[in-house]
Amino acid sequence: MILQAHLHSLCLLMLYLATGYGQEGKFSGPLKPMTFSIYEGQEPSQIIFQFKANPPAVTFELTGETDNIFVIEREGLLYYNRALDRETRSTHNLQVAALDANGIIVEGPVPITIKVKDINDNRPTFLQSKYEGSVRQNSRPGKPFLYVNATDLDDPATPNGQLYYQIVIQLPMINNVMYFQINNKTGAISLTREGSQELNPAKNPSYNLVISVKDMGGQSENSFSDTTSVDIIVTENIWKAPKPVEMVENSTDPHPIKITQYVFYAVAKDEYGKPLSYPLEIHVKVKDINDNPPTCPSPVTVFEVQENERLGNSIGTLTAHDRDEENTANSFLNYRIVEQTPKLPMDGLFLIQTYAGMLQLAKQSLKKQDTPQYNLTIEVSDKDFKTLCFVQINVIDINDQIPIFEKSDYGNLTLAEDTNIGSTILTIQATDADEPFTGSSKILYHIIKGDSEGRLGVDTDPHTNTGYVIIKKPLDFETAAVSNIVFKAENPEPLVFGVKYNASSFAKFTLIVTDVNEAPQFSQHVFQAKVSEDVAIGTKVGNVTAKDPEGLDISYSLRGDTRGWLKIDHVTGEIFSVAPLDREAGSPYRVQVVATEVGGSSLSSVSEFHLILMDVNDNPPRLAKDYTGLFFCHPLSAPGSLIFEATDDDQHLFRGPHFTFSLGSGSLQNDWEVSKINGTHARLSTRHTEFEEREYVVLIRINDGGRPPLEGIVSLPVTFCSCVEGSCFRPAGHQTGIPTVGMAVGILLTTLLVIGIILAVVFIRIKKDKGKDNVESAQASEVKPLRS
């Protein structure tokens, strides 16, 4: 035991000398009252101070609140042998005395104060796992109706104990609008302005909030956190006007009398089944039920954590999924660690945020030699289902080695500016001496200088850490003929404290881009202009611009000007009208513009020019359709009317056409009148019933009320005729183009006479031909020779 004690003292002395504690004044000195500040949780066997003995003192004695943690060696080395815990004792009051060889105090005792400084090693905790409250409809926004409270054992005077409250989830979430808010410092819950206006117990009588609290003032990604649930009941606003009440005078019924009004909605149709009003919209929503369990992102989710990872640091986030409706209790997931394997050096090394799924280091830094891998079983649950997900956490070597390039200068590389996007143009290589295939040795290459346009990128082979430089955007000789590119090789894991990237992690090369003759480039893919359709011929209606990358002159031309409306200045690109424009014939009017370089290879490019023609009132009103066939049954038993429609070809915005109607001649006013129905329809009516049975042509004057106003006079032919079963029957003698009875008889007799003459001629001819045939037959019989 004596030998072991001497060895321990010797080790402490060597550590004391190696760390520089032998310097007089700073880490050593005479016996006097002193105060030391030490962070909790640090490794044990840390030297605090070396007291110097003055003769006859030969040794030292330590008393007070040592808690078997603080020890002083005979030589005066004061140290602690276990990690301190501020939450157990924040201040240790010690006394140190110097003794002579007989153990008699010759100096002191003097007070030695050890103040334990706080680190963030405690997570905040809500005082309740669930809170309940109520709020009245239309309550004033910002007025608290409920408080949530959490505590943190860390020092409240430091960021470690400063708490930050936040609403994580609101259920239900309607139109993605938050109805509730929380004071980040006090935990006071109140309504937002939208909540004050929209909360309605008839629609949603209750809400559920998930509140989180974070330490570090909520400003650090390594904050610890806790969550709680808040159930809120919405009660009806009692400050509102009462419903209308009807009372019967002199009623003897018992009082009070309550009368309820009912409102019904229906679709009305006529006897032919045609609707008399627009149909009512009925929205049917399929209400979600919780019929899908949570699912894990993969069979095993793998994360890495460095040996020296600080408490509270994020290790990774497990994101499970649920196919039920979003932002409802059916898809609201909770995460909980149910098992850690192995439980070395202790259980509960990790924690997971209940609703976010983020894993954090909870109790102490990990050591790979103790356990290189941990396996966690995490329960993910919704309202009704539970699913087990599995997480593998690999403890990796600390990242204390930087990537080192095989060479710092990759020389010059010459490429044509039309080199294809995606081409690999260079291979670079760096190595890292940290543990292979971990985040400490994986290399990511970044271009940090010489490529502000982002034309290049670097892909890394995950097995070899080889970097392949590729073209991401077109190279351009005109803007970047020579670029000095600088690479930086980095690890995804942060370097340990005190280790920094240096020149070995940087490399460069020079990219030289050669010129290639390129076609002119328009400043826009589509040029657009807007003019009135009545502009004078020769008016400038627009212009286009293009540039040649090589600086050559450009000649402009038009293509597709099918109507011959435009011309372009070959030098300036200005476009002019050369003929009357007509919106009604086509707007927008689309043509192509060609830019051709002058000289060189005469390369060209094409852009679009769209000319939007604004309407002017240049089309008089006309009838919307052919109205031949209008009639009244004769004789009229009462004045009648007909409806007709007008239109024109001009553009009508918003309110549509607004025509006015009148008779086209004063002589028609005794027989007819015209009245406007709306902006496009009018009614032509008779003033009496004494009309002849014939056709009348009624002239109608239509004015469009435009700027300037245009009028059109149209003809409506109206026939008065006898009717048979509702249809117009016109007597033959009275119909245009049909002959009278006398004419018809004359035509018939003439036709019969002609037919008789033709028949007589034919009969005589046939009889004449028959007599001729008989004479020829007799003559033939007289000269016929005898047969021998």
Side-chain angles (χ1 to χ4, degrees):
M1 290 292 291
I2 295 175
L3 178 61
Q4 185 177 6
H6 280 294
L7 287 174
H8 182 66
S9 298
L10 181 61
C11 290
L12 285 173
L13 182 60
M14 293 175 64
L15 177 64
Y16 168 76
L17 295 173
T19 54
Y21 279 83
Q23 301 175 15
E24 182 71 29
K26 187 174 183 180
F27 302 110
S28 64
L31 185 64
K32 63 179 180 179
M34 300 187 75
T35 299
F36 301 95
S37 295
I38 302 173
Y39 278 104
E40 64 175 328
Q42 291 189 351
E43 295 290 331
S45 299
Q46 297 288 323
I47 296 174
I48 301 173
F49 197 77
Q50 167 75 68
F51 292 102
K52 300 291 185 179
N54 295 317
V58 295
T59 186
F60 292 90
E61 179 183 57
L62 179 67
T63 57
E65 299 170 344
T66 64
D67 294 346
N68 295 322
I69 297 176
F70 297 96
V71 179
I72 194 167
E73 295 291 329
R74 293 176 58 85
E75 296 82 3
L77 285 174
L78 177 64
Y79 68 95
Y80 57 96
N81 57 22
R82 292 204 315 270
L84 303 180
D85 183 16
R86 190 199 69 86
E87 288 71 40
T88 302
R89 191 189 294 273
S90 61
T91 302
H92 292 263
N93 296 302
L94 309 176
Q95 295 84 37
V96 175
L99 310 178
D100 63 12
N102 298 318
I104 298 174
I105 297 175
V106 295
E107 188 178 358
V110 298
I112 304 296
T113 303
I114 307 293
K115 293 185 176 181
V116 184
K117 297 183 69 175
D118 186 47
I119 65 171
N120 190 26
D121 58 347
N122 292 279
R123 69 184 295 188
T125 305
F126 277 103
L127 300 182
Q128 299 175 217
S129 61
K130 176 177 283 191
Y131 290 81
E132 295 179 349
S134 63
V135 61
R136 194 171 297 281
Q137 179 187 15
N138 302 127
S139 293
R140 178 163 55 88
K143 180 181 179 181
F145 62 87
L146 180 65
Y147 286 83
V148 295
N149 294 284
T151 59
D152 192 310
L153 295 178
D154 289 317
D155 188 356
T158 68
N160 301 332
Q162 293 176 3
L163 303 185
Y164 182 88
Y165 297 94
Q166 187 176 13
I167 297 177
V168 179
I169 297 173
Q170 169 190 297
L171 296 175
M173 176 74 80
I174 301 170
N175 297 327
N176 206 31
V177 175
M178 292 295 296
Y179 290 163
F180 303 90
Q181 59 188 348
I182 190 169
N183 186 301
N184 302 128
K185 295 182 178 180
T186 66
I189 301 175
S190 61
L191 294 181
T192 63
R193 179 177 298 179
E194 293 82 2
S196 176
Q197 297 171 351
E198 299 296 333
L199 281 186
N200 186 346
K203 295 181 179 179
N204 291 292
S206 64
Y207 287 81
N208 176 260
L209 304 180
V210 174
I211 309 293
S212 75
V213 60
K214 293 183 178 181
D215 57 19
M216 304 296 289
Q219 301 302 310
S220 172
E221 63 179 10
N222 301 323
S223 302
F224 287 120
S225 66
D226 191 22
T227 54
T228 189
S229 177
V230 179
D231 291 333
I232 299 174
I233 303 298
V234 181
T235 59
E236 186 179 8
N237 183 11
I238 59 175
W239 181 252
K240 59 182 181 180
K243 295 181 180 180
V245 176
E246 294 181 359
M247 300 292 295
V248 178
E249 61 179 341
N250 301 322
S251 172
T252 59
D253 293 338
H255 289 74
I257 299 174
K258 183 176 181 180
I259 300 175
T260 304
Q261 290 181 315
Y262 292 94
V263 179
F264 294 92
Y265 296 89
V267 176
K269 295 183 178 180
D270 61 18
E271 65 272 21
Y272 302 106
K274 294 183 179 180
L276 299 176
S277 181
Y278 63 89
L280 298 178
E281 275 189 332
I282 300 175
H283 297 274
V284 178
K285 180 180 180 181
V286 179
K287 188 175 181 180
D288 182 53
I289 63 170
N290 191 22
D291 57 349
N292 290 282
T295 58
C296 304
S298 60
V300 178
T301 302
V302 180
F303 298 119
E304 291 182 346
V305 58
Q306 288 192 62
E307 284 187 307
N308 67 336
E309 201 79 46
R310 295 178 56 186
L311 293 184
N313 278 13
S314 171
I315 298 172
T317 300
L318 178 68
T319 304
H321 304 281
D322 195 303
R323 295 177 59 193
D324 290 311
E325 184 178 0
E326 293 183 4
N327 297 323
T328 67
N330 297 337
S331 61
F332 184 49
L333 301 182
N334 294 264
Y335 298 84
R336 183 173 69 91
I337 298 175
V338 296
E339 186 177 11
Q340 168 193 310
T341 306
K343 297 176 173 59
L344 296 175
M346 64 183 71
D347 197 9
L349 289 173
F350 308 94
L351 63 86
I352 191 168
Q353 293 186 5
T354 307
Y355 299 104
M358 186 175 80
L359 283 159
Q360 294 175 281
L361 195 60
K363 290 190 176 180
Q364 68 175 55
S365 296
L366 308 177
K367 293 184 178 180
K368 184 175 181 180
Q369 59 264 33
D370 292 342
T371 305
Q373 184 183 100
Y374 290 90
N375 294 288
L376 303 180
T377 302
I378 297 178
E379 178 188 271
V380 185
S381 60
D382 61 16
K383 188 174 63 173
D384 301 307
F385 296 98
K386 296 179 180 179
T387 301
L388 296 180
C389 297
F390 302 96
V391 173
Q392 175 181 309
I393 299 176
N394 297 324
V395 183
I396 64 174
D397 180 29
I398 59 174
N399 189 15
D400 57 356
Q401 300 293 321
I402 63 173
I404 299 175
F405 272 101
E406 62 177 1
K407 55 183 178 180
S408 60
D409 192 340
Y410 283 87
N412 297 340
L413 179 63
T414 302
L415 296 173
E417 64 177 331
D418 62 350
T419 303
N420 292 335
I421 294 176
S423 300
T424 299
I425 61 173
L426 182 66
T427 301
I428 58 178
Q429 183 71 62
T431 57
D432 192 300
D434 285 312
E435 182 182 355
F437 305 110
T438 67
S440 297
S441 63
K442 181 180 179 181
I443 298 177
L444 302 176
Y445 299 97
H446 302 285
I447 298 174
I448 62 170
K449 186 178 179 182
D451 185 30
S452 59
E453 298 295 326
R455 291 188 169 98
L456 303 180
V458 185
D459 292 338
T460 305
D461 186 321
H463 302 289
T464 64
N465 277 337
T466 301
Y468 299 98
V469 184
I470 61 172
I471 297 178
K472 294 171 58 180
K473 295 180 180 179
L475 304 179
D476 188 9
F477 168 82
E478 286 71 29
T479 59
V482 179
S483 300
N484 296 309
I485 307 297
V486 179
F487 301 107
K488 181 181 181 181
E490 296 179 294
N491 302 127
E493 286 288 339
L495 295 172
V496 298
F497 180 77
V499 178
K500 297 181 179 180
Y501 295 103
N502 58 34
S504 300
S505 299
F506 296 84
K508 65 180 182 178
F509 85 102
T510 300
L511 176 62
I512 301 171
V513 180
T514 59
D515 189 28
V516 174
N517 189 23
E518 300 170 275
Q521 297 174 354
F522 280 98
S523 60
Q524 298 172 214
H525 293 296
V526 177
F527 294 86
Q528 185 171 291
K530 184 184 293 186
V531 297
S532 177
E533 64 174 325
D534 64 346
V535 295
I537 294 176
T539 300
K540 178 183 173 182
V541 297
N543 68 283
V544 298
T545 56
K547 291 183 179 180
D548 185 74
E550 288 73 39
L552 297 176
D553 291 335
I554 292 175
S555 176
Y556 297 97
S557 61
L558 293 180
R559 181 189 297 169
D561 183 17
T562 56
R563 298 186 181 275
W565 286 353
L566 306 174
K567 73 172 181 179
I568 190 168
D569 187 301
H570 299 297
V571 177
T572 65
E574 294 176 312
I575 300 175
F576 301 87
S577 65
V578 294
L581 307 179
D582 184 7
R583 185 199 67 84
E584 290 74 30
S587 178
Y589 185 57
R590 296 179 175 90
V591 296
Q592 291 183 324
V593 183
V594 181
T596 305
E597 63 182 16
V598 179
S601 303
S602 298
L603 297 177
S604 63
S605 57
V606 179
S607 182
E608 294 279 333
F609 178 72
H610 295 175
L611 182 60
I612 298 174
L613 300 177
M614 295 183 293
D615 188 49
V616 296
N617 193 29
D618 58 351
N619 290 278
R622 56 180 174 80
L623 291 176
K625 61 181 179 179
D626 182 13
Y627 280 97
T628 58
L630 297 178
F631 70 92
F632 288 108
C633 292
H634 185 274
L636 284 177
S637 58
S641 63
L642 299 169
I643 294 175
F644 61 94
E645 180 184 3
T647 186
D648 68 19
D649 296 317
D650 290 315
Q651 187 176 22
H652 301 284
L653 300 177
F654 308 117
R655 67 189 183 100
H658 223 65
F659 299 130
T660 58
F661 304 87
S662 61
L663 292 173
S665 173
S667 62
L668 300 173
Q669 294 181 359
N670 293 330
D671 300 326
W672 307 92
E673 66 177 343
V674 63
S675 57
K676 180 178 178 179
I677 297 176
N678 54 34
T680 57
H681 291 72
R683 176 179 285 105
L684 177 65
S685 304
T686 62
R687 287 185 174 275
H688 56 80
T689 61
E690 303 298 325
F691 287 88
E692 297 179 10
E693 188 176 356
R694 65 177 178 87
E695 181 182 78
Y696 291 81
V697 176
V698 182
L699 301 180
I700 305 294
R701 177 179 287 106
I702 307 174
N703 189 300
D704 62 9
R707 296 181 181 177
L710 292 180
E711 285 187 351
I713 296 181
V714 299
S715 299
L716 278 180
V718 181
T719 300
F720 288 83
C721 59
S722 300
C723 292
V724 177
E725 296 181 354
S727 298
C728 184
F729 174 75
R730 292 177 173 86
H734 288 227
Q735 297 186 30
T736 303
I738 298 178
T740 62
V741 175
M743 292 173 62
V745 172
I747 292 172
L748 179 60
L749 292 176
T750 302
T751 302
L752 293 176
L753 179 60
V754 171
I755 292 173
I757 293 171
I758 293 172
L759 289 176
V761 170
V762 172
F763 179 77
I764 294 171
R765 182 66 180 267
I766 291 175
K767 190 172 183 179
K768 183 178 180 181
D769 288 343
K770 187 176 180 182
K772 183 178 180 181
D773 290 341
N774 292 335
V775 172
E776 291 179 351
S777 178
Q779 292 176 348
S781 62
E782 291 178 354
V783 299
K784 186 176 182 180
L786 296 175
R787 292 182 182 270
S788 56

